[in-house]
Every structure is written in C-alpha cells, then in structure tokens.
Amino acid sequence: MNIIKPGDLVDLNDYAPDFTGAYEKKGQTKRRLKKLHKQLLKLQELLYAGNQHALLIILQGMDTCGKDGTIRRVMAGMNVQGCDVVSFKVPSTDELSRDFLWRAHRAVPPKGKIGIFNRSHYEDVLVVRVHSLVPEDIWSQHYQQINDFEKMLVESGTVVLKFFLHISKDEQKARLESRISDPTKHWKVMESDVRERAYWDDYMQAYEVMLQKCSTDWAPWHVIPANKKWYRNLVITECIVETLRKLDMRYPEPSVDITKFTIGD
Amino acid sequence: MNIIKPGDLVDLNDYAPDFTGAYEKKGQTKRRLKKLHKQLLKLQELLYAGNQHALLIILQGMDTCGKDGTIRRVMAGMNVQGCDVVSFKVPSTDELSRDFLWRAHRAVPPKGKIGIFNRSHYEDVLVVRVHSLVPEDIWSQHYQQINDFEKMLVESGTVVLKFFLHISKDEQKARLESRISDPTKHWKVMESDVRERAYWDDYMQAYEVMLQKCSTDWAPWHVIPANKKWYRNLVITECIVETLRKLDMRYPEPSVDITKFTIGD
C-alpha cells in the first residue's frame, strides 16, 4: 500500500512512479473511473446534507507532477458548489508577517464541503527548506507544528487526505520538453521550473523527511505513482471515495414531521 | 507573583481580587502610570520598526470584570495605528462550521503590531464548558489544542500575554447594580449578564481548570486583581511594558548608508 505509516523510514526509490497496479493502459480504467465519479457525487451530497464533516485534500509534488490535472479530473466528478480549490503561491507581505499556518488555516473548508489545497503549508518544509528561506531552527519546528495543526483539524471534524504525486526525474524532463515544444503550452513553463529542477535531489530528500515526520495516524501521507496520469487520477479518486464512504454518513432526520405538512393552494 | 506556573494547582480563593500591592489609592499610581505610558509608546514604535515580533494580549474574565475599561485605559498609552482590538462574540454560522481556533487564528496580529483579544478562543473552555454547548469529549480536547496553537504562535515570533481579570462575586453585584441604577449605563446591562451570574461557581471552576491546563512556559496566565480598576490598569500596563522591554528590541540598521544621500534642490 502507498500509505506511509508513522515511524516508517522513507526512501522514495522504493516507490515506482511508473506503477499502474492491475492495469496496463488507460482504456481499462474508464468504466471504473466513471463508476467512482457517480459514487463521489452521491457521497458529496451526503457530506453537505449531514454537515458534520469537512474534507481537506492536500496535493504536493514536483513541478509538472500533475496537481492541476488531478484537480481538473477529480473535480469533474464533483459538484463544484461544494468544493473550493485554494492555490498556495509565493506568500504575500500580509502572509509573511504572520506564522506560516495562518494562510492555510484561513482557507480550510467548512463542514459539509470539500477543500483542495494546490500546494499547501507543506511548502514551508519543502521550498523553504531546500532554499533556506528561513533559518533551520525555524523550519525544523514546522513538522511538529503541522502535525499539531492537522490533529486539531481532524479532532474538529475535518478529514485530511494528503497526496504526494510522485513522478520520476525523467518524466519531468519529458513533460517540460513537451511544454517547450508546444507553443500553446508555453504559458505553463516558468523559468523557475527549470531552475528548481537543478535541486531535484534536495527536494527528494525534503519530501522524504516530510513523509516520515508528517505521516500521522490522524492524517497519513499517500504516495501516488504519478508518471501515468490516468492511473494517478484513478488511485486518488478511489481514495477519496473510500475515505468518504468510511465516514458512514446518513441523511439527517428532518426535525419536524414533514409528512404532516399541508401545502396550501 | 500572579503568574500561574505550569503544573500549579489553582484555587482562585487564594487570589485576593481586592489586592492593591504597595498602593492604597488611585492617586498614588498616577505618576507611575504616566511614566509607563511614555515607555509603552516608545516600545511600540520599536516593535513596529523592528518588525520581528507581534504582541497578542488576551483578556478574559467574568462580565463586568473590566475588559473594555482595560482596553480603553491601556490603549490610551499606545499608538492606535499599531494596535488592533478584536472582540469575540457569539460565533457566526461561518465560524461554527470550522474548528474553534479558526476565527482566533484569522485575527492574530502581524509582526510589528499589538493585537488585543477581548474574550478569545478561551471561551471554548469557559462558556462552552459551563453550558455544555458541545459534548465533553470535544471541549476537553480544546486545552491541548490551545496550548499547541499558542506554542506555534510563540515559535513564530508572537509574544502571548494572557490576563484573567479577577473580580469578586460581590464586586460584580455592585457593578451590575450601579449600571442598573444609572440610566446612561443601561445599554451595558444584558439580560445574559444577570443570567450568567447564576453560574458563578461553575465559571470559577472552569477558570481554575483553564489556568491550570493552559498556563504554559511559552504563554503563562496572569491573574490580575481587578476589584480596583486603577490597580488592574497599573499591573497590566506594567506587565506589557516589562514584556516588551525584555524583547531587547533595536531599531534596524538602514540597508544603505543614508549619510551619503544627497538631497537635490
């Protein structure tokens, strides 16, 4: 299984980004995905009606790993009204002048809704660590702070699902080159993507430490094989459906006996 | 001293609300308070210029204990631009649909500023506990969640000062009666104030547990004798000044040599 257990030592070389499970090609997953989307829609309605839980989905991974694509494809099976996507970019002055969890906490979904974080507070143990954007004695505290924060969210009724989209260095090269050779995709290529690629090994190390330190009983990390987009979408959708199903949600009982209502002329 | 140490058992009967230290009457404290206000103004400018710390002041206490008065009197010695007051009232639907710390976290002061919470996230272990507004297995988690939250704030550069304004039950009676007999103060009397007074003992117990469980090394509780308003104002102002002074702040060095500037005609 691709769930990191608390205390596990993580070597990302042990996780094959090319893995596609029992499937060989995209076509084999279409029916399954369609079925999952139907279930997802029903579960999302239950989530909204019950108003007891929120679902927070956190997506992290290297540039081109497919965060945007995942959101597009997974949300295709959702009611958009019940789902908010928040992208975490370079922090603003207002954000930098508070603790790093401030902007994440502001953005958490309310009960009844699904929130998707495209990048997240984990950037503060990833890019911040790799480039020493703050001193080590500051970022090294973030792991425990994140665990405490997520624990509080979970204890308050939010389910936290964390996906690390795992692609290989070769796959990133192919995706960057494909974007560069396609003029309609040039807008997606940032100089920073190419620059950050030089820090690949540092990032892998930062991800490994993150997976080790912040995979908790209440909010474990899932390592998603993401070289094949169709398999990535399938696994993530399966995981979301499975997670919502386990909540064993019911439509709430009406507080009055509706059958006794008289509808006037 | 009126600082609760972590692990201390707290019996509020041990703390005299009438205590006035070395002073006997208001007149004796005026010069001292004036001096403190001057120092406070200077320290606040340093806080702003240095932009390294924020100061969060939390005020809790029974109705009529003097939270509003404290804010008015203590802020009289501050630059209002660098100080934000946030009053925590009955939570909105939007707030109730997130964890209880959500609205508190949104309201924390940025670096360089002072934030005052008039009531706070502690209501979730006070009124919520006394009236069982959420089940015990939920509110009983709040103590640890608050400690973790405040620890993160402190580790991120925010100084957290917590004042419990301690008045006696007799003093509350006198203050309520005085408000009722003065038509210009009727707007301050709420039916709920009178109703809540019936729960005095339950509140005292809730405050004692709060003081015991949430007085931490990083954010201790101060019990302020508050029957005498002038003494309360003095002690709190002293504590704020002392806390800011201990930060040993300096004006930042200019990043360019200003003395070499030529100011054109």
Side-chain angles (χ1 to χ4, degrees), chain B residues 190-206:
Chain B
M190 311 256 289
E191 197 201 333
S192 63
D193 295 352
V194 181
R195 205 171 53 227
E196 288 303 281
R197 183 170 160 79
Y199 297 92
W200 183 275
D201 292 344
D202 294 336
Y203 271 107
M204 287 307 111
Q205 202 203 352

Side-chain angles (χ1 to χ4, degrees), chain B residues 42-47 49-53 159 240-252:
Chain B
K42 277 189 192 165
L43 285 162
Q44 199 190 359
E45 192 179 88
L46 263 174
L47 184 77
N51 203 34
Q52 296 298 307
H53 303 280
V159 179
I240 295 173
V241 168
E242 203 42 50
T243 301
L244 288 173
R245 205 202 310 270
K246 274 193 200 142
L247 292 176
D248 196 26
M249 299 177 286
R250 307 255 174 263
Y251 284 99

Side-chain angles (χ1 to χ4, degrees), chain A residues 94 96-102 105-111 138 141 145 148-149 151-153 155-156, chain B residues 96-102 105-111 138 141 145 148-149 151-153 155-156:
Chain A
D94 230 31
L96 281 174
S97 64
R98 268 91 171 187
D99 61 272
F100 79 107
L101 288 172
W102 185 70
H105 203 170
R106 282 164 69 97
V108 297
K111 281 180 185 172
I138 296 295
Q141 296 176 326
Q145 291 166 337
D148 290 339
F149 169 59
K151 186 158 191 259
M152 185 277 298
L153 291 182
E155 288 171 344
S156 309
Chain B
L96 282 174
S97 64
R98 268 92 170 186
D99 61 272
F100 78 106
L101 288 172
W102 185 68
H105 203 171
R106 281 164 69 96
V108 297
K111 281 181 185 170
I138 297 294
Q141 295 176 327
Q145 291 167 337
D148 290 339
F149 170 59
K151 185 159 193 256
M152 185 277 298
L153 290 182
E155 288 170 345
S156 307

Side-chain angles (χ1 to χ4, degrees), chain B residues 17-261:
Chain B
D18 268 322
F19 186 75
T20 55
Y23 305 93
E24 278 167 23
K25 51 183 193 208
K26 185 174 179 177
Q28 297 169 329
T29 62
K30 277 197 170 167
R31 271 182 64 184
R32 172 108 183 95
L33 196 62
K34 208 170 166 185
K35 203 176 150 193
L36 285 169
H37 276 168
K38 270 194 186 168
Q39 294 171 338
L40 183 52
L41 210 57
K42 277 189 192 165
L43 285 162
Q44 199 190 359
E45 192 179 88
L46 263 174
L47 184 77
Y48 185 77
N51 203 34
Q52 296 298 307
H53 303 280
L55 174 61
L56 173 59
I57 297 170
I58 295 174
L59 298 178
Q60 287 287 166
M62 296 297 283
D63 294 322
T64 76
C65 73
K67 295 182 288 293
D68 294 326
T70 302
I71 293 170
R72 207 166 49 242
R73 293 294 297 151
V74 171
M75 281 187 64
M78 289 190 194
N79 181 339
V80 193
Q81 267 213 309
C83 182
D84 290 318
V85 181
V86 185
S87 290
F88 288 82
K89 320 229 177 218
V90 176
S92 68
T93 311
D94 229 31
E95 291 167 347
L96 282 174
S97 64
R98 268 92 170 186
D99 61 272
F100 78 106
L101 288 172
W102 185 68
R103 63 175 184 162
H105 203 171
R106 281 164 69 96
V108 297
K111 281 181 185 170
K113 284 204 175 189
I114 297 174
I116 303 183
F117 282 6
N118 184 348
R119 303 185 187 271
S120 67
H121 44 286
Y122 281 99
E123 289 299 321
D124 287 85
V125 292
L126 295 167
V127 63
V128 166
R129 175 185 167 127
V130 168
H131 292 294
S132 304
L133 300 183
V134 302
E136 179 168 354
D137 62 328
I138 297 294
W139 61 249
S140 63
Q141 295 176 327
H142 289 341
Y143 300 99
Q144 184 62 46
Q145 291 167 337
I146 288 174
N147 289 347
D148 290 339
F149 170 59
E150 292 178 353
K151 185 159 193 256
M152 185 277 298
L153 290 182
V154 170
E155 288 170 345
S156 307
T158 297
V159 179
V160 180
L161 266 180
K162 305 188 291 198
F163 298 114
F164 168 58
L165 309 191
H166 185 32
I167 56 169
S168 62
K169 198 173 178 186
D170 286 346
E171 178 67 18
Q172 190 191 52
K173 186 172 185 235
R175 291 186 186 184
L176 283 173
E177 283 174 351
S178 134
R179 288 183 186 180
I180 288 166
S181 67
D182 178 352
T184 71
K185 285 187 178 170
H186 279 182
W187 64 273
K188 284 182 117 181
V189 185
M190 311 256 289
E191 197 201 333
S192 63
D193 295 352
V194 181
R195 205 171 53 227
E196 288 303 281
R197 183 170 160 79
Y199 297 92
W200 183 275
D201 292 344
D202 294 336
Y203 271 107
M204 287 307 111
Q205 202 203 352
Y207 275 113
E208 285 172 350
V209 176
M210 172 196 87
L211 293 167
Q212 276 171 213
K213 293 199 180 223
C214 296
S215 210
T216 54
D217 288 326
W218 52 90
W221 270 105
H222 300 251
V223 178
I224 306 296
N227 272 8
K228 302 287 181 236
K229 296 173 185 176
W230 52 270
Y231 186 68
R232 169 201 80 196
N233 294 336
L234 180 74
V235 176
I236 290 179
T237 312
E238 267 177 348
C239 184
I240 295 173
V241 168
E242 203 42 50
T243 301
L244 288 173
R245 205 202 310 270
K246 274 193 200 142
L247 292 176
D248 196 26
M249 299 177 286
R250 307 255 174 263
Y251 284 99
E253 295 292 323
S255 52
V256 289
D257 186 352
I258 291 171
T259 60
K260 294 203 173 129
F261 280 13

Side-chain angles (χ1 to χ4, degrees), chain A residues 1-2 16-26 29 33 223-238:
Chain A
M1 189 45 185
N2 56 359
D18 268 321
F19 186 74
T20 55
Y23 306 92
E24 276 167 23
K25 52 186 188 200
K26 184 175 181 177
T29 62
L33 196 62
V223 178
I224 305 296
N227 272 8
K228 302 289 182 230
K229 296 172 185 176
W230 52 269
Y231 186 67
R232 168 200 81 197
N233 295 335
L234 181 73
V235 177
I236 290 179
T237 313
E238 266 177 348

